Structure formats: C-alpha cells, structure tokens
C-alpha cells in the first residue's frame, strides 16, 4: 500500500510538473490517468520495495554528488586517452565483491559502475560482480572499494 | 531579469554547451577507434553521461520558463536512469551470447580462463587480428 | 553557437551510424543505434532553442523513453529471435 501510494504521488508530481495547464478539467484527467497507471502497476505486480525503494529515504541524494564527481573525472580521463594517438588502454575483466545486503543496493552499485565510463558491469550474482574495465586505473579504483562503501552507506543500517 | 544577468548566464551556458559537444564528439570517435564491442561501450557511456549532461544543463541556463528547466531535467533523469540499464542489458546479452572481450590481461579465474582460451582465436581471426592494447 | 552544438551532435550521429554500418557484431550495431537515439534526443532539445517552435522538449522527453524501450525490445529480439515473454527469468 505504501509503495502504491508512492508511485501514485510520483506520477501525480510528474504530471503536474510536465503539463503546465492547470484547469480543473486537466487536473482531474491527470489524476484519473495516474490512478489508472497505478492500478495497472499493481496488477503487473511491479509495486514493491524493489521498484519503489522508499526505505532508502533521501540517502541516495547524498550519494549523487559524489557519483557525479566520479563520473566527470572518469570521463575526462577516458577522453584524454581516446584523443591520444597511442590510446593507452588495457581492457581487462575483474571480479569485485558487492558487500551490500539488499538487492536494490547491489543493483544501485552495479548501475553506478556501468554509469562511470571505464567500467561496465557484465554480470551480477550473489554479491559478486564481473566488471569489464578499460584501464588499469579504473580497475584499481574499483578494487579500492570506495564506491562499494558509499553505496553501503546509502543502504543504511536497515 | 535585467540585461546584467544575461551575460554571465550566457557565458556559463556556452562553456557547458561546448564541453558537452566535446564529450559527444570524443565519444563518437571512441566508438570508431576502440578495438572491440566491450570497450566501445565505455565510449557510448561517455556521451550518455557527461556529453548529454553538460548539453542539457547548458540548455537549462538558456531557459525562459521554469517548465523548460523541468523538462530538461526530466530528459536528464531518464537518460541517467535508462543508459546504465540499457548498457548492462547489452553487455549481458553479448556476454551470455558468447562474445568474448579482447583482453590485455588474463581473466581473473580458472573457469573464465578456460572459456576464454578456446574462443579467443576465433574472435581475433574473425575480426582481422587487431591487437587490443598498446 | 547553437549551430556549433547542432553540428557537433550531427557529427557524433554520423560516427555512430558509421559504427552501425561497420558492425562487426550485431551488438555493436545495437550499441550504435542506442547512441544515435540519445543524440537524437539532444538534437531535438537543442532545436527547441534554435527554432523556438512549440514543445520540442516534449518530443525530446518522449523520444528518450521510446529510445530506451526500443533498444531493450531490439535486444530481446536479437537474443531470442522473438518478442514472446520469457517463461522463466534465469
């Protein structure tokens, strides 16, 4: 119920932010279609703690700035390598542990890795990730485990 | 808003716009230059994150109505959510399909190494034996 | 200045198309198409500020979503040669 309410509220806010026409008729139509989508989602059984991770609260917002900084740095590094005539890359597969307890947090970790240029998650199973890294530096940084620790902090102690 | 505000906002916007273009084009070049599918994914990821991000934020600085900003951030949000998902789906599909990455280093464990050795010759021969690393 | 952005995005799209034609694997082509799609979104968004036409940004939002769904569907088709739902997710 909590999750259904969350998805409904998200849908309503997307509608209100995106429509720009605030007449009674339009708002009623919007609310009705949001309700319909919510019901469809419940019927599809995609309404649970995985699809709407409200248990994480606002902690992901604190993680985002760090992630964006990481992404920017990795982008800059990769751009330099791509433009250099020799292209100093050493593609490699590495295995990394994902120490998060919940599936949501592990997926967040895997997605963060993929989002950062230089590393792409190939497989995620039972707390272990198979990652394709483009350079030694990217691989070492991942092995250092700072991202792992930060995503665990997002998960909190729950 | 007076004319005074426009100049610094415009300047910031242009710098971000040029940065976004730079990362887009470099990512496109990477897509052509890199030796195999898995490394090309990194280049595509680059244009999706910083390329698209800088461009959209630059456009937000040019907005004349708050709704434009909201919509630009919708686009950015969708891209940030969907791009790693699509990338992961692609990588996993390729990997389970049996496409082997060209590596500069031996893979981390024995099981993978065994999978690797019997197919790496195929991969190299069908793609003309381009070496993967310098 | 927007012209510079348009040209840069068009060049990137051309590079992506080149990769889509060259392959060599089908996954390379899907990857290039995905990139082509995201660049289309950016192109439409920039066009909004060049032509000041009505609601280009709405089109861009829609295209961002369609592109994602399209890539996933294409990928599923490539992997299984059909669009039928899987019985069991491994």
């Amino acid at each position: 119920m909590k999750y259904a309410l969350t998805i409904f509220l998200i849908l309503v806010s997307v509608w209100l932010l995106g429509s720009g026409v605030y007449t009674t008729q339009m708002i009623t139509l919007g609310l009705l279609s949001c309700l319909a989508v919510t019901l469809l989602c419940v019927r599809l059984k995609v309404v649970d703690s995985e699809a709407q991770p409200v248990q994480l609260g606002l902690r992901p917002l604190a993680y985002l700035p760090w992630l964006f900084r990481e992404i920017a740095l990795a982008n800059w590094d990769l751009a330099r390598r791509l433009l250099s005539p020799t292209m100093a890359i050493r593609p490699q597969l590495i295995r990394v542990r994902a120490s998060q307890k919940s599936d949501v947090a592990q997926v967040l970790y895997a997605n963060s890795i993929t989002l950062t240029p230089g590393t792409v998650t190939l497989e995620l199973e039972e707390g272990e990730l198979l990652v394709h890294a483009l350079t030694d530096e990217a691989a070492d940084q991942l092995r250092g485990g700072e991202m792992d620790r930060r995503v665990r902090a997002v998960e909190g102690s729950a | 808003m007076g004319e005074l505000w426009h100049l610094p906002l415009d300047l910031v916007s242009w710098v971000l716009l040029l940065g976004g273009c730079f990362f887009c084009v470099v990512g496109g070049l990477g897509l052509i230059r890199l030796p195999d599918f898995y490394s090309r994914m990194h280049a595509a990821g680059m244009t999706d994150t910083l390329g698209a991000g800088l461009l959209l934020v630059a456009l937000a600085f040019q907005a004349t109505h708050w709704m434009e900003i909201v919509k630009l951030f919708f686009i950015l949000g969708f891209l940030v959510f969907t791009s790693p998902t699509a990338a992961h789906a692609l990588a996993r599909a390729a990997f389970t399909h049996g496409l082997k990455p060209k590596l500069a280093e031996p893979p981390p464990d024995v099981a993978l190494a065994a999978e690797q050795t019997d197919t790496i010759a195929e991969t190299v021969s069908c793609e003309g034996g381009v070496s993967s690393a310098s | 200045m927007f012209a510079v952005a348009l040209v840069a995005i068009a060049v990137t799209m051309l590079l992506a198309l080149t990769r889509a034609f060259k392959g060599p694997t089908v996954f390379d082509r899907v990857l290039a198409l995905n990139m082509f799609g995201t660049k289309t979104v950016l192109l439409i968004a920039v066009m909004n500020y060049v032509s000041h036409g009505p609601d280009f940004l709405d089109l861009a939002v829609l295209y961002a979503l369609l592109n994602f769904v399209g890539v996933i569907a294409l990928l599923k088709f490539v992997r299984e040669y059909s669009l039928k739902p899987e019985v069991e997710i491994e």
Side-chain angles (χ1 to χ4, degrees):
Chain A
M1 190 60 216
K2 183 172 66 171
Y3 301 116
L5 197 64
T6 317
I7 193 172
F8 181 68
L9 287 180
I10 292 173
L11 287 170
V12 169
S13 47
V14 168
W15 171 279
L16 288 180
L17 284 172
S19 99
V21 183
Y22 300 116
T23 58
T24 325
Q25 191 192 9
M26 288 307 275
I27 291 180
T28 320
L29 270 176
L31 287 179
L32 281 179
S33 42
C34 290
L35 195 65
V37 172
T38 311
L39 290 178
L40 280 177
C41 284
V42 171
R43 230 178 88 86
L44 277 169
K45 298 194 174 62
V46 292
V47 180
D48 53 25
S49 67
E50 280 194 14
Q52 288 83 34
V54 281
Q55 74 276 12
L56 294 182
L58 292 176
R59 283 192 298 266
L61 289 183
Y63 168 65
L64 282 181
W66 181 82
L67 180 66
F68 286 155
R69 203 186 66 104
E70 262 334 88
I71 288 175
L73 289 179
N75 262 306
W76 178 241
D77 183 61
L78 187 59
R80 268 209 349 250
R81 281 167 202 273
L82 286 179
L83 286 178
S84 80
T86 52
M87 255 203 327
I89 57 166
R90 283 166 60 78
Q92 50 199 289
L93 288 179
I94 57 170
R95 284 201 183 275
V96 194
R97 288 209 56 76
S99 60
Q100 295 78 22
K101 279 182 246 72
S102 64
D103 286 353
V104 178
Q106 289 197 354
V107 169
L108 178 63
Y109 183 41
N111 266 3
S112 306
I113 290 176
T114 308
L115 205 54
T116 317
T119 47
V120 170
T121 313
L122 297 184
E123 278 184 334
L124 163 61
E125 46 187 47
E126 299 302 317
E128 220 182 27
L129 303 168
L130 183 63
V131 177
H132 181 272
L134 197 57
T135 60
D136 285 338
E137 284 79 2
D140 287 341
Q141 202 162 19
L142 204 56
R143 284 203 199 94
E146 194 186 353
M147 189 182 268
D148 186 48
R149 243 178 299 121
R150 283 184 187 262
V151 179
R152 211 166 52 210
V154 170
E155 191 179 28
S157 51
Chain B
M1 256 196 270
E3 280 296 307
L4 203 63
W5 277 105
H6 278 289
L7 192 65
L9 279 186
D10 263 2
L11 272 178
V12 173
S13 167
W14 296 137
V15 170
L16 290 175
L17 198 73
L18 286 181
C21 294
F22 169 76
F23 281 106
C24 277
V25 174
V26 171
L29 274 178
L31 200 67
I32 300 291
R33 280 191 76 190
L34 285 167
D36 80 328
F37 165 71
Y38 294 97
S39 22
R40 281 176 207 135
M41 297 199 56
H42 301 290
M46 196 162 96
T47 65
D48 280 354
T49 53
L50 215 52
L54 289 182
L55 267 172
L56 291 174
V57 173
L59 291 181
F61 275 104
Q62 297 280 336
T64 48
H65 192 266
W66 62 269
M67 194 149 277
E68 288 178 16
I69 301 180
V70 167
K71 278 172 187 161
L72 286 169
F73 276 90
F74 274 175
I75 300 176
L76 191 56
F78 287 143
L79 284 185
V80 167
F81 272 113
T82 57
S83 109
T85 313
H88 177 69
L90 250 171
R92 223 185 82 101
F95 197 71
T96 51
H97 192 265
L99 182 69
K100 301 294 171 206
K102 292 187 202 166
L103 302 174
E105 271 184 26
D109 49 44
V110 187
L112 262 172
E115 278 175 45
Q116 203 68 43
T117 40
D118 55 13
T119 38
I120 196 139
E122 269 172 53
T123 326
V124 171
S125 64
C126 73
E127 289 175 27
V130 194
S131 88
S132 59
S134 47
Chain C
M1 191 61 101
F2 287 124
V4 177
L6 287 180
V7 170
I9 295 172
V11 167
T12 315
M13 287 168 95
L14 217 62
L15 291 170
L17 264 191
T18 317
R19 179 47 75 194
F21 275 118
K22 269 168 72 174
T25 67
V26 70
F27 301 108
D28 285 295
R29 294 178 213 274
V30 178
L31 180 69
L33 273 185
N34 182 22
M35 193 163 144
F36 190 81
T38 22
K39 295 295 101 58
T40 314
V41 175
L42 294 183
L43 196 73
I44 299 174
V46 177
M47 274 308 285
N48 182 58
Y49 290 89
V50 176
S51 71
H52 294 285
D55 303 330
F56 270 96
L57 285 179
D58 291 312
L59 293 179
V61 173
L62 195 64
Y63 207 94
L65 290 174
L66 274 181
N67 182 43
F68 173 66
V69 176
V71 164
I72 295 295
L74 190 58
L75 208 56
K76 197 167 161 55
F77 185 70
V78 166
R79 200 170 57 185
E80 297 164 26
Y81 299 103
S82 90
L83 289 172
K84 276 186 298 190
E86 285 171 67
V87 183
E88 270 288 326
I89 299 164
E90 306 152 3

